[in-house]
Amino acid sequence: VQLQACGGGSVQAGGSLRLSCAASGSIFSIDYMGWYRQAPGKQRELVAGMSSVVSPNYSDSVKGRFIISRDNAKNTVYLQMNSLKPEDTAVYYCNADIRTTWGSRHDSWGQGTQLTVSS
């Protein structure tokens, strides 16, 4: 199984961007899907996450500006980012808890996509 993230880029402060991340492979089900980010010199942090049974949760720094959603039919998670700030600049990673058709469970990570917000 693998996750492919895309949608990063450069944007001015106040702008918007949407990230997407699609899971592929022998997928039976996906429970949790989320987005993390890592800025230079900092630890990776949770941005937003959602599961099939729990409401979406957001870090305080993005609450009210970012929206996580998913399309279960496409095994894809999205992150709509609005009112972007320079401090949102980071590499964004998607993460998913995937159960395969052969019964194994994988904590999978995407390759990361860069977001740069200029002031």
Side-chain angles (χ1 to χ4, degrees):
V1 295
Q2 64 177 8
L3 296 177
Q4 181 69 41
C6 62
S10 296
V11 63
Q12 288 193 326
S16 298
L17 209 63
R18 189 177 81 155
L19 305 181
S20 63
C21 177
S24 62
S26 301
I27 299 170
F28 176 73
S29 66
I30 302 177
D31 184 13
Y32 175 87
M33 298 190 86
W35 289 94
Y36 291 73
R37 68 185 181 187
Q38 187 167 19
K42 295 187 176 182
Q43 290 188 330
R44 190 173 298 189
E45 63 174 358
L46 173 68
V47 177
M50 65 185 303
S51 74
S52 57
V53 295
V54 178
S55 298
N57 63 293
Y58 300 90
S59 69
D60 289 342
S61 61
V62 307
K63 201 171 294 184
R65 300 187 297 121
F66 290 11
I67 300 172
I68 187 172
S69 62
R70 59 191 283 181
D71 184 335
N72 292 326
K74 296 181 179 179
N75 292 325
T76 298
V77 62
Y78 304 94
L79 186 68
Q80 177 66 42
M81 304 181 291
N82 303 316
S83 303
L84 284 164
K85 304 176 180 180
E87 51 263 44
D88 293 320
T89 296
V91 177
Y92 284 72
Y93 299 89
C94 57
N95 172 249
D97 180 13
I98 299 175
R99 293 183 184 272
T100 67
T101 54
W102 60 81
S104 61
R105 188 173 179 176
H106 295 260
D107 180 25
S108 300
W109 290 87
Q111 82 282 13
T113 184
Q114 175 71 47
L115 169 67
T116 302
V117 183
S118 58
S119 58

